[in-house]
Amino acid sequence: MNTPKAGLLEPQSRVQVDLSAFGQNVRTLKSLTPTGTRFCAVVKANAYGHGGIQCAKTALENGSHFLAVVRISEAVAMRDAGITAPILLLGDALPEQVSFLATHGIRASVADIQTARALSAAAQALNTTLKIHIKLDTGMGRLGFLHPDVVIKESGQAAGIGQAREIAGLKGMEVEGTYTHFAKADMIDKTHVKGQLARFNDMVAMLADMGIHPEIRHAANSAALLELPEAHFDMVRPGIAMYGMAPSGEVDITGHKLVPIMSITAKVIYVKAVPKDFSISYGSTHVTAAPTVIATVPIGYADGYSRLLSNQGQMLIKGQKAPIVGRVTMDFTMIDVGHIPGIKPGDDVTILGTQANERITADDIAGLTGTINYEVTAGLTGRMPVSYV
Ligand SMILES: *Cc1c(COP(=O)(O)O)cnc(C)c1O
């Protein structure tokens, strides 16, 4: 039997991640914090679609002390890959998973007393000590103990910080850290985030009154790392900026030399000249206004390339922009290349990234699809192979 040459079976659309640029971004961000401030690389969701293990290793090689993920499976994958650095689980620790956390040295976030008790019991049963980080909800409205100002005392489900008092007496666990997460650090108006900061400082003092003195206080996501030095505390926790993207349109990262690290490329697989009044793709939503040439590119919504780009996105080919015509389908997207002579199957297409003097950013795609850059990369489905440079 003939074995095809290596490369012949490779899919025609692929993702490239520039790990040296990623490492540089990590060092750049680290340089914005005072010496001694720990750095926790947020590599959740497969490092926002860039490859969890590779980014985790690169972050550690470039001075990151901690890693943060959200799902236990991601933490386990990192341990299986030989990563021994501290890993903080930002969410999803259920009591029945506790023994597993303890044996794998995964730091749990604790946002309610029931989980704390279960962690403590499991840790004692295993004769081990589990490190935990107490999570405080200072205005994100997601996970965390609440400030006394907002606790509804009558409710059986209240999660006031008063409950944390019991943690000080729980055996088998060590409170290594406490943290909060900002809801609006990426906005020009810093009123809300400053309120969160004040509540955080308040609650850290309340923990101290209960005899809980976490060594690592942390709060800053990328936006706060970049714009709010008073939120750096003992550790910063950036995600998006490490991947070279801005936390929002209201945070200007241009001065910081952060570079996007992902590009998506494909090869044209089919080209044909079509007449005027020729309709393209499902629903015939595009009809040619004049004779032109249509190229088919093998990327679609099953790759995470949004169908909302139908009739409005662009791709780069021969250093020029070519508009998407008709609907993006599951596997293919059509572009009009009538204005670019000589397009043939095999020609390189850039879907995200730079070609000659043209560029398409995750923000460009997000702008067209009504979302944010985070979702553009984190929303890739994993069908396209990722290569690292
Ligand atoms: C995702 C996340 C971060 C990182 O946020 P960026 O905006 O990507 O920097 C930090 N902390 C927590 C708790 C998160 O969930």
Side-chain angles (χ1 to χ4, degrees), residues 42 44 48 70 90 135 142 179 181 221-223 237-241 247 374:
V42 179
K44 63 190 180 189
Y48 297 32
V70 176
L90 297 170
K135 192 159 198 175
R142 202 167 62 177
Y179 73 105
H181 189 43
N221 54 6
S222 298
R237 230 173 42 231
I240 196 79
Y374 293 71

